[in-house]
Amino acid sequence: MFLLNPFLGVVQAFKHFRQDWAKNSIWLFVIFYGFTMFRPEAMDSSRYVSRLQVLYEAPLSWDIFVANFYSEEGIAVDLYQPLVTYLLSFFTNSGNVLFAVFGITYGYFYSRNLWLLLDWAKNKRTDKTMWLLLVSFAFMIGFWELNGVRMWTAAHMFFYGSYLFIISKQKKGLVIAALTPLVHYSFMLPLGLLLFYTVVKIPWRILYFVFIASFFLSELNIASVGERLTAVAPEFLVPRINSYTSDKYIEALAEGPVANWYVTYYLKAVGWVVFIMISVIYFTSQEFIRKNKAFSNFFGFTMLFLTIGNVMAMIPSGGRYLTIARLFALALIFLFYMIYDSRVFARYLKFSTPLLLFFIIVSVRESFETLTFVTILANPLIAAFIDMPIPLISLLK
């Protein structure tokens, strides 16, 4: 099916999700998407391709390349993307090949995360609500976010590792989570939270009210948050933190293009669903949480992550932490729905359905920015000879 049409392979994968091969169809599709995606100049992907082409035309020695890492004079503060780009520059200057290679890692963790949840449904009857929650989870950090390869590859790695460590009690999960700062330096914060929660074990009853209180901390100013981060961060990260919390950066964002109303509110819709459903779980199912140790730990860590995400969202670009925290929250809601038969929970979830549908529709619209006709209609054999990166968004403009 992949050789015939990778997109149809995705459809078949979810139709036959109980089969072992299904997750690999998603993995292959993400690789194919990386090869055929549209990379406009304003997006990060274009910058990475330009870097590949510069290295291809003027190769760097290994010593000079290494000198760019973790130093005040260097330009790189994480390892994954620069190293892949550097190694590929010896063989090609093709952006298609570069992002297909990036898609190998991204697609692996993206597909595995989906099946961490779908494994709970293999021996149960599925329904529309289950699929709605799964699609919401899949779109929270969708495959099209491969465009921002560093941040979002690390996000899916971190979820995968944290899930294995907290839910399945597998130590290799902690190792995988510990590797994420090599993909994006900012994951030192989520990793620190995971280690802190593992050691300290704050009761989830306290964490719920801390999570609620975090919604009322919007009066904190960006400069004060930046100062606190600078005080605890390693020295080589301080310049990057300062750049994200500086007045110039804030002004540049403010002067940028104004987003459409639906782009502004579709993530807020998920935020309200998370707020409502976590509150329902807390007030109606404390006995279940107490009895299920793995779920209790996942519940507590998710609320801690959401709390930090709410605070970090006050910093330009800090909202990305909240997006990752919401990935955990949607997984939590999915797990609760699959494990525990609660009529009250189902009632509130039904009430929240319009918000999730709104989020899914706008997410599909967002994916059209980089999803091309070749990705949907062609196959690897055709794409190898025809390079027509025309995005689906051209249908709507």
Side-chain angles (χ1 to χ4, degrees):
M1 184 60 70
F2 173 73
L3 293 175
L4 178 65
N5 184 277
F7 182 72
L8 289 180
V10 171
V11 176
Q12 291 298 311
F14 287 115
K15 186 177 178 181
H16 302 284
F17 72 91
R18 293 180 177 87
Q19 302 297 320
D20 291 337
W21 55 263
K23 68 183 74 165
N24 291 329
S25 285
I26 306 299
W27 185 10
L28 289 170
F29 172 76
V30 175
I31 297 171
F32 183 66
Y33 164 76
F35 188 80
T36 58
M37 67 185 284
F38 179 58
R39 294 179 290 273
E41 288 185 10
M43 291 189 176
D44 289 346
S45 53
S46 178
R47 179 162 52 88
Y48 299 142
V49 173
S50 296
R51 181 61 179 163
L52 173 71
Q53 292 168 346
V54 168
L55 288 172
Y56 182 79
E57 296 296 331
L60 293 179
S61 69
W62 177 254
D63 291 339
I64 295 175
F65 173 72
V66 170
N68 283 327
F69 287 96
Y70 306 108
S71 66
E72 211 170 301
E73 299 79 19
I75 59 173
V77 291
D78 39 50
L79 183 64
Y80 171 67
Q81 175 269 321
L83 181 60
V84 171
T85 304
Y86 176 74
L87 293 176
L88 280 178
S89 70
F90 288 106
F91 309 101
T92 182
N93 64 352
S94 169
N96 292 346
V97 173
L98 176 66
F99 272 82
V101 173
F102 285 149
I104 294 172
T105 306
Y106 192 100
Y108 177 83
F109 288 105
Y110 182 75
S111 60
R112 268 55 190 173
N113 286 341
L114 289 174
W115 261 259
L116 287 177
L117 303 189
L118 279 172
D119 282 343
W120 290 92
K122 283 189 174 180
N123 299 317
K124 296 182 180 180
R125 266 181 90 180
T126 61
D127 57 28
K128 293 179 181 177
T129 301
M130 186 215 83
W131 287 111
L132 178 70
L133 290 174
L134 184 79
V135 172
S136 299
F137 174 82
F139 285 8
M140 193 68 241
I141 303 175
F143 63 85
W144 54 90
E145 298 293 356
L146 179 62
N147 168 71
V149 60
R150 295 161 55 236
M151 187 72 186
W152 305 121
T153 299
H156 278 292
M157 281 181 65
F158 185 76
F159 178 86
Y160 183 78
S162 299
Y163 183 99
L164 292 184
F165 183 61
I166 297 172
I167 297 289
S168 304
K169 298 180 180 178
Q170 297 183 33
K171 292 182 180 178
K172 73 173 183 179
L174 184 59
V175 175
I176 293 170
L179 292 174
T180 54
L182 299 178
V183 181
H184 198 287
Y185 67 94
S186 66
F187 273 78
M188 293 182 73
L189 176 59
L191 178 61
L193 287 178
L194 181 61
L195 295 174
F196 173 80
Y197 184 75
T198 301
V199 174
V200 178
K201 290 290 184 187
I202 304 173
W204 50 264
R205 293 178 186 83
I206 295 174
L207 285 170
Y208 172 75
F209 290 102
V210 175
F211 160 60
I212 297 299
S214 68
F215 283 104
F216 302 98
L217 293 178
S218 57
E219 295 303 315
L220 278 176
N221 60 68
I222 291 171
S224 67
V225 177
E227 287 170 8
R228 285 170 173 75
L229 288 174
T230 302
V232 299
E235 190 174 342
F236 67 87
L237 292 183
V238 171
R240 190 61 67 95
I241 292 172
N242 289 337
S243 70
Y244 278 123
T245 57
S246 68
D247 292 337
K248 281 186 182 179
Y249 185 71
I250 297 165
E251 288 171 10
L253 289 180
E255 292 172 1
V258 178
N260 290 319
W261 67 271
Y262 51 82
V263 175
T264 302
Y265 289 104
Y266 84 117
L267 289 176
K268 292 182 183 292
V270 175
W272 277 105
V273 172
V274 168
F275 176 81
I276 292 168
M277 300 316 302
I278 283 184
S279 297
V280 171
I281 293 172
Y282 178 83
F283 287 110
T284 66
S285 307
Q286 292 200 14
E287 177 125 10
F288 167 79
I289 299 171
R290 253 194 319 269
K291 289 181 179 178
N292 192 322
K293 188 66 175 174
F295 185 89
S296 173
N297 288 334
F298 197 68
F299 187 52
F301 178 69
T302 299
M303 287 189 293
L304 176 62
F305 203 168
L306 284 168
T307 299
I308 300 302
N310 285 327
V311 174
M312 295 302 296
M314 291 180 283
I315 303 173
S317 299
R320 295 180 293 183
Y321 289 111
L322 186 55
T323 298
I324 302 163
R326 286 170 176 166
L327 185 73
F328 279 79
L330 288 171
L332 179 83
I333 294 168
F334 182 95
L335 292 176
F336 188 86
Y337 182 75
M338 297 305 298
I339 298 171
Y340 189 62
D341 184 20
S342 170
R343 292 183 180 179
V344 176
F345 184 82
R347 193 182 310 128
Y348 277 93
L349 196 53
K350 189 174 182 180
F351 171 78
S352 302
T353 294
L355 293 174
L356 290 177
L357 288 174
F358 172 63
F359 165 72
I360 290 169
I361 291 168
V362 178
S363 295
V364 171
R365 159 65 178 77
E366 290 286 291
S367 74
F368 282 10
E369 297 283 349
T370 56
L371 201 59
T372 66
F373 289 94
V374 175
T375 310
I376 299 299
L377 301 176
N379 60 48
L381 298 177
I382 294 174
F385 296 99
I386 299 176
D387 188 13
M388 294 176 58
I390 303 173
L392 295 182
I393 196 65
S394 61
L395 291 173
L396 305 178
K397 292 183 176 180

